[in-house]
């Protein structure tokens, strides 16, 4: 898509983005609270206490605290696969490249920092609970993996990460006790919950009467070059609002670098040594005055990003050869198998078999990539019966969005998945649908403005949304203005200046995360069963997805002011008069002339280069008819 005069762009709009009847631009209603995160009437409960920053974080890059009413716990789990196998015949270095031996994931969940009920365990406050690192261990190797993924020398990448975020911590607490408290009700509000058996009778009760809360589940799938912590801002934020979020680390060659701990002495696993660059350690023994060197088998292997052969840039919009469908479809199939393994582990927690997870967990002291704490301190009995596993939400960024779409199509295999959220999905990587495999479940697509200009990608995502809509499922397709592809990852939050200067990101990165999370919360409030959204008193209600017919059409039309030149499509935006705009912003903030913009909990403005104002931060391209929404709400 190339730049065109304004009138030509207006004429092209129907062809590129859908008919005018379907291209409903729904404005966001800005919260009126001081921090820009309220529900419009100033009654949202306050966020949980913030974890203290480390000394390094005070001078280096840090992640913002989560804004929900819950503290967030964190644990890492690596378990042997129930059915170890490889996917497709694709090989690298004469070894199967896509092989499922173990499954690795992190769990973000609502937690408690004080002592357990009845004084059964010692006091464990935030000062005594460790915070996990943002960069997965071993951190130097992970940095090298990112350099290889970017096809540049690892020395400057490792040095820069070491100087900025090598010691950045997640604002979450490792192995904290899962929360047994209901979140505080907003001032002036009432806590309406159903009876524990779901009998339908609604009653107002105190915390003591309703027992321990049960949490809905989200499984998050990362994109290319990602990891289990690359979208921690989104995963942790959702957990702070009452969700258990499982963040996968896929070992299908789509991540920058990951390590697989081997299980036992299986020769099948020993043959899967992908780390060909570094020779294995050797043992030296003295035999009759001579040194005999024997090769020592490593207890792990490393998986780096797999580039398609003869088509390394299959992710580029300008790639004339298209996507390497053989590799990508095999990767999606392996990703789905990993998600099934993680879901099985959740079932063990739910059934009171958490001790089995602790026994089989490979992320423990002595193993590669592990914390010395492992899963120490977890009381698995407290996880028994605490999860809703009959209507799980799948959420994925980029290639993870393509993974989510395929799971939604496999109704019989993933009957426990009830809806999907696509975060700037990579459309061309999605397998084509057929008459038997079509999306029939609710879908929310939250795209970036940079990807909106990638015409083929936008149309493919739109096809998915229409596929769900044709089956009678609720569907929204939205775009966050001024955002780029990494706006829904932690890189945007940790490196906002580089995002602004190199990718021309216009929206404030933290505001983009907020809009993503609260669009998801609004979507889940509509699509999840009512008993799973009892925490919604704590959710901001800005009606991000609802169509407001009172706003003039001229204010809701999609603007092409920031459409880049063709060579930068999907990679960055264009900022007209960029130098003067940045200069004006610099003088404005220096003079403390702060316009009315969203603010964080500390009162700091969340403005980007431009402030579109209330109702103009999100474009809604597709949305359900009002009649369909009323029908859903009546259920």
């Amino acid at each position: 898509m190339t730049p065109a005069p304004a009138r030509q762009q207006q004429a092209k709009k129907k062809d590129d983005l859908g008919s005018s009847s379907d291209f409903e631009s729904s404005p966001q209603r800005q919260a009126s609270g001081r921090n820009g995160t309220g529900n419009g009437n100033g009654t949202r409960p306050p966020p949980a206490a913030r974890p203290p920053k480390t000394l390094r974080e005070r001078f280096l890059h840090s992640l913002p605290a989560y804004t929900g009413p819950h503290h967030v716990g964190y644990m890492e789990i690596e378990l042997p696969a129930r059915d170890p196998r490889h996917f497709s015949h694709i090989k690298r270095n004469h070894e199967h490249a896509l092989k499922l031996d173990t499954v690795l994931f992190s769990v973000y969940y609502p937690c408690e920092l004080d002592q357990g009920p009845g004084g059964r365990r010692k006091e464990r406050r935030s000062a005594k609970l460790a915070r996990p690192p943002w960069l997965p261990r071993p951190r130097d190797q992970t940095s090298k993996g990112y350099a290889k993924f970017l096809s540049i020398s690892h020395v400057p990448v490792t040095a820069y990460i070491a100087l900025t975020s090598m010691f950045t911590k997640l604002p979450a607490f490792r192995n904290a006790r899962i929360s047994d408290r209901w979140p505080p009700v907003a001032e002036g509000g009432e806590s309406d919950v159903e009876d524990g058996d779901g009998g339908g009778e609604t009653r107002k009760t105190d915390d003591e009467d309703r027992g321990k809360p049960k949490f809905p589940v989200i499984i998050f799938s990362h994109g290319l070059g990602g990891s289990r912590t690359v979208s921690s801002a989104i995963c942790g934020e959702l957990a702070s609002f009452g969700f258990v979020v499982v963040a996968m680390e896929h070992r299908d060659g789509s991540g920058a670098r990951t390590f697989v701990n081997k299980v036992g002495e299986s020769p099948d696993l020993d043959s899967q040594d992908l780390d060909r660059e570094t020779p294995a350690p050797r043992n030296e023994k003295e035999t009759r005055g001579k040194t005999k060197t024997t090769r020592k088998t490593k207890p792990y292997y490393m998986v780096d990003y797999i580039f398609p052969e003869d088509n390394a840039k299959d992710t580029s919009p300008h790639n004339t050869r298209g996507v390497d469908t053989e590799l990508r479809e095999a990767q999606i199939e392996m990703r789905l198998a990993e998600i099934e393994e993680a879901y099985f582990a959740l079932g063990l927690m739910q059934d009171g078999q958490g001790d089995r997870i602790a026994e089989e967990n490979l992320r423990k002291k002595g193993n590669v990539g592990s914390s010395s704490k492992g899963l120490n301190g977890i009381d698995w009995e407290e996880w028994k019966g605490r999860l809703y596993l009959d209507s799980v939400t799948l959420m994925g960024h980029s290639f993870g969005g393509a993974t989510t779409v395929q799971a939604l199509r496999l109704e019989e295999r993933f009957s426990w998945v009830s809806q999907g959220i696509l975060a700037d999905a990579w459309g061309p990587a999605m397998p084509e649908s057929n008459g038997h495999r079509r999306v029939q479940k609710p879908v929310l697509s939250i795209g970036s403005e940079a990807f909106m200009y990638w015409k083929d990608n936008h149309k493919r995502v739109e096809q998915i949304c229409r596929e769900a809509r044709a089956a009678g499922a609720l569907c929204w397709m939205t775009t966050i203005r001024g955002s780029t592809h990494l706006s829904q990852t932690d890189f945007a939050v940790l490196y906002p200046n580089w995002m602004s200067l190199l990718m021309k990101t216009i929206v404030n990165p933290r505001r983009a995360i907020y809009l993503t999370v609260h669009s998801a919360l609004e979507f889940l409030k509509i699509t999840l069963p009512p008993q799973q959204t009892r925490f919604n008193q704590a959710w901001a209600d800005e009606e991000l997805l609802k169509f407001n017919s009172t706003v003039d059409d001229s204010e809701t039309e999609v603007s092409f002011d920031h459409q880049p030149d063709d060579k930068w499509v999907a990679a960055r935006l264009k900022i007209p008069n960029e130098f003067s705009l940045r200069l004006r912003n610099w003088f404005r903030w220096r003079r403390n002339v702060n316009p009315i913009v969203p603010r964080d909990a500390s009162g700091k403005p969340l403005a980007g280069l431009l402030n579109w104002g209330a109702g103009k931060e999100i474009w809604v391209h597709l949305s359900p008819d009002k009649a369909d929404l009323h029908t859903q709400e009546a259920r």
Side-chain angles (χ1 to χ4, degrees), residues 327-537:
L327 172 62
R328 301 308 181 190
E329 290 184 6
Q331 287 178 318
I332 288 178
E333 183 59 31
M334 180 170 171
R335 283 164 159 250
L336 295 179
E338 290 175 313
I339 289 173
E340 288 177 309
E341 293 290 330
Y343 179 76
F344 177 78
L346 292 175
L348 294 179
M349 297 182 194
Q350 174 74 355
D351 295 340
Q353 301 182 56
D355 290 340
R356 176 177 166 184
I357 293 176
E359 181 181 351
E360 298 181 1
N361 179 46
L362 297 170
R363 290 283 157 156
K364 56 188 176 183
K365 186 175 181 179
N367 286 359
V368 66
S370 303
S371 164
S372 61
K373 295 179 173 55
L375 294 176
N376 297 338
I378 297 289
D379 186 346
W380 295 107
E381 188 64 26
E382 293 188 346
W383 282 83
K384 184 177 180 180
R386 303 295 299 280
L387 305 175
Y388 287 108
L389 295 180
D390 55 344
S391 53
V392 173
T393 302
L394 286 191
M395 183 175 186
H397 176 254
S398 192
F399 194 36
T403 306
T404 298
V405 168
Q406 188 66 358
L408 293 175
R409 284 174 171 161
L410 302 176
E411 169 64 33
E412 294 184 2
R413 180 176 172 185
F414 293 92
S415 59
W416 42 271
V417 174
S418 57
Q419 55 273 317
I421 301 174
L422 317 180
D424 216 20
W426 180 21
M430 299 175 185
E432 295 289 344
S433 65
N434 55 49
H436 302 289
R437 294 182 176 180
R438 302 181 65 83
V439 177
Q440 303 180 52
K441 297 176 181 179
V443 173
L444 168 63
S445 171
I446 311 171
S448 71
E449 184 174 350
F451 260 37
M452 186 186 73
Y453 299 125
W454 183 1
K455 189 174 180 179
D456 292 340
N457 189 84
H458 191 92
K459 284 188 173 181
R460 182 64 68 89
V461 175
E462 183 183 0
Q463 289 172 2
I464 297 300
C465 293
R466 294 188 183 281
E467 185 179 316
R469 196 172 186 177
L474 299 179
C475 179
W476 287 264
M477 182 179 178
T478 70
T479 294
I480 297 177
R481 296 185 68 176
S483 61
T484 53
H485 189 55
L486 294 181
S487 292
Q488 292 166 326
T489 70
D490 291 359
F491 288 109
V493 179
L494 290 172
Y495 301 102
N497 293 330
W498 288 121
M499 289 285 294
S500 177
L501 293 173
L502 298 181
M503 298 183 180
K504 310 304 179 186
T505 304
I506 299 170
V507 66
N508 181 285
R510 291 171 61 184
R511 183 62 179 171
I513 295 294
Y514 173 87
L515 293 171
T516 299
V517 168
H518 286 273
S519 294
L521 290 176
E522 184 178 337
F523 169 74
L524 294 174
K525 184 177 179 180
I526 296 171
T527 58
L528 282 175
Q531 64 268 25
Q532 296 194 31
T533 59
R534 298 175 181 177
F535 297 101
N536 62 52
Q537 296 93 347

Side-chain angles (χ1 to χ4, degrees), residues 228-387:
R228 63 190 182 277
T229 60
V230 75
S231 292
S232 70
I234 288 177
C235 295
E237 189 76 1
L238 287 167
S240 75
F241 284 100
F243 288 85
V244 170
V245 183
V246 175
M248 305 298 305
E249 179 152 317
H250 296 295
R251 335 296 266 292
D252 60 336
S254 64
R257 176 166 290 183
T258 186
F259 291 86
V260 181
N261 286 292
K262 294 180 181 179
V263 185
E265 299 297 332
S266 169
D268 188 38
L269 288 177
D270 291 346
S271 68
Q272 179 69 1
D273 186 355
L274 300 182
D275 189 4
R276 297 293 185 179
E277 297 181 354
T278 305
R282 297 175 182 269
N283 287 336
E284 293 186 355
K285 296 182 179 180
E286 294 292 335
T287 306
R288 294 181 182 179
K290 296 182 180 180
T291 300
K292 180 180 179 181
T293 303
T294 59
R295 191 173 186 85
K296 181 181 179 181
T297 302
K298 291 186 296 185
Y300 65 89
Y301 62 87
M302 182 178 72
V303 181
D304 276 354
Y305 182 80
I306 298 175
F307 289 94
E309 289 187 339
D310 303 321
N311 190 15
K313 297 183 178 180
D314 75 328
T315 60
S316 171
H318 306 292
N319 179 20
T320 57
R321 301 183 59 183
V323 173
D324 187 333
T325 55
E326 181 184 11
L327 172 62
R328 301 308 181 190
E329 290 184 6
Q331 287 178 318
I332 288 178
E333 183 59 31
M334 180 170 171
R335 283 164 159 250
L336 295 179
E338 290 175 313
I339 289 173
E340 288 177 309
E341 293 290 330
Y343 179 76
F344 177 78
L346 292 175
L348 294 179
M349 297 182 194
Q350 174 74 355
D351 295 340
Q353 301 182 56
D355 290 340
R356 176 177 166 184
I357 293 176
E359 181 181 351
E360 298 181 1
N361 179 46
L362 297 170
R363 290 283 157 156
K364 56 188 176 183
K365 186 175 181 179
N367 286 359
V368 66
S370 303
S371 164
S372 61
K373 295 179 173 55
L375 294 176
N376 297 338
I378 297 289
D379 186 346
W380 295 107
E381 188 64 26
E382 293 188 346
W383 282 83
K384 184 177 180 180
R386 303 295 299 280
L387 305 175

Side-chain angles (χ1 to χ4, degrees), residues 93-127:
N93 298 323
H94 308 292
E95 304 285 351
H96 287 291
L98 280 69
K99 188 168 183 178
L100 176 64
D101 291 324
T102 70
V103 59
L104 173 63
F105 55 92
S106 294
V107 183
Y108 302 78
Y109 57 94
C111 77
E112 295 291 349
L113 304 182
D114 55 0
Q115 65 184 23
R120 289 187 289 115
R121 55 185 61 77
K122 295 181 179 180
E123 185 173 355
R124 301 167 58 193
R125 298 191 181 276
S126 59

Side-chain angles (χ1 to χ4, degrees), residues 11-271:
K12 287 176 59 182
K13 199 174 298 179
K14 289 185 180 181
D15 294 332
D16 292 349
L17 303 175
S19 65
S20 58
S21 61
D22 289 324
F23 197 83
E24 302 169 87
S25 299
S26 174
Q28 175 211 6
R29 292 189 205 167
Q30 184 75 24
S32 60
R34 177 175 178 269
N35 60 8
T37 58
N39 59 4
N41 56 13
T43 60
R44 180 180 164 189
R50 295 163 172 259
K53 289 185 178 181
T54 64
L55 182 61
R56 291 189 179 106
E57 287 180 308
R58 294 182 183 276
F59 298 98
L60 303 177
H61 294 198
S62 62
L63 292 165
Y66 306 126
T67 64
H70 286 285
H71 295 288
V72 176
Y74 176 90
M75 57 181 166
E76 293 177 350
I77 299 174
E78 183 180 8
L79 299 173
R82 291 170 293 166
D83 179 20
R85 60 196 185 276
H86 65 266
F87 295 79
S88 88
H89 65 276
I90 298 173
K91 292 187 176 183
R92 294 292 188 271
N93 298 323
H94 308 292
E95 304 285 351
H96 287 291
L98 280 69
K99 188 168 183 178
L100 176 64
D101 291 324
T102 70
V103 59
L104 173 63
F105 55 92
S106 294
V107 183
Y108 302 78
Y109 57 94
C111 77
E112 295 291 349
L113 304 182
D114 55 0
Q115 65 184 23
R120 289 187 289 115
R121 55 185 61 77
K122 295 181 179 180
E123 185 173 355
R124 301 167 58 193
R125 298 191 181 276
S126 59
K128 298 182 180 181
L129 287 172
R131 291 171 53 202
W134 171 75
L135 197 66
R137 293 186 174 95
R139 288 173 280 193
D140 60 333
Q141 290 296 322
T142 301
S143 300
K144 292 178 181 179
Y146 278 122
K148 187 174 181 180
F149 170 67
L150 297 172
S151 300
I152 59 179
S153 172
H154 72 83
V155 175
V157 173
T158 303
Y160 185 71
I161 291 179
L163 291 172
T164 56
S165 56
M166 182 75 81
F167 301 101
T168 297
K169 302 284 188 180
L170 299 182
F173 303 97
R174 188 184 293 275
N175 300 347
R177 180 168 58 90
I178 186 172
S179 178
D180 55 8
R181 303 180 187 178
W182 295 82
V185 179
E187 183 179 352
E190 294 179 328
S191 177
D192 295 343
V193 297
E194 295 178 358
D195 286 328
D197 59 1
E201 180 182 356
T202 301
R203 60 190 176 94
K204 302 180 181 64
T205 93
D206 295 325
D207 284 355
E208 301 80 36
D209 296 330
R210 28 181 183 171
K212 295 181 179 180
K214 196 173 179 179
F215 301 109
V217 174
I218 298 173
I219 298 180
F220 189 93
S221 174
H222 64 73
L224 298 181
S227 70
R228 63 190 182 277
T229 60
V230 75
S231 292
S232 70
I234 288 177
C235 295
E237 189 76 1
L238 287 167
S240 75
F241 284 100
F243 288 85
V244 170
V245 183
V246 175
M248 305 298 305
E249 179 152 317
H250 296 295
R251 335 296 266 292
D252 60 336
S254 64
R257 176 166 290 183
T258 186
F259 291 86
V260 181
N261 286 292
K262 294 180 181 179
V263 185
E265 299 297 332
S266 169
D268 188 38
L269 288 177
D270 291 346
S271 68

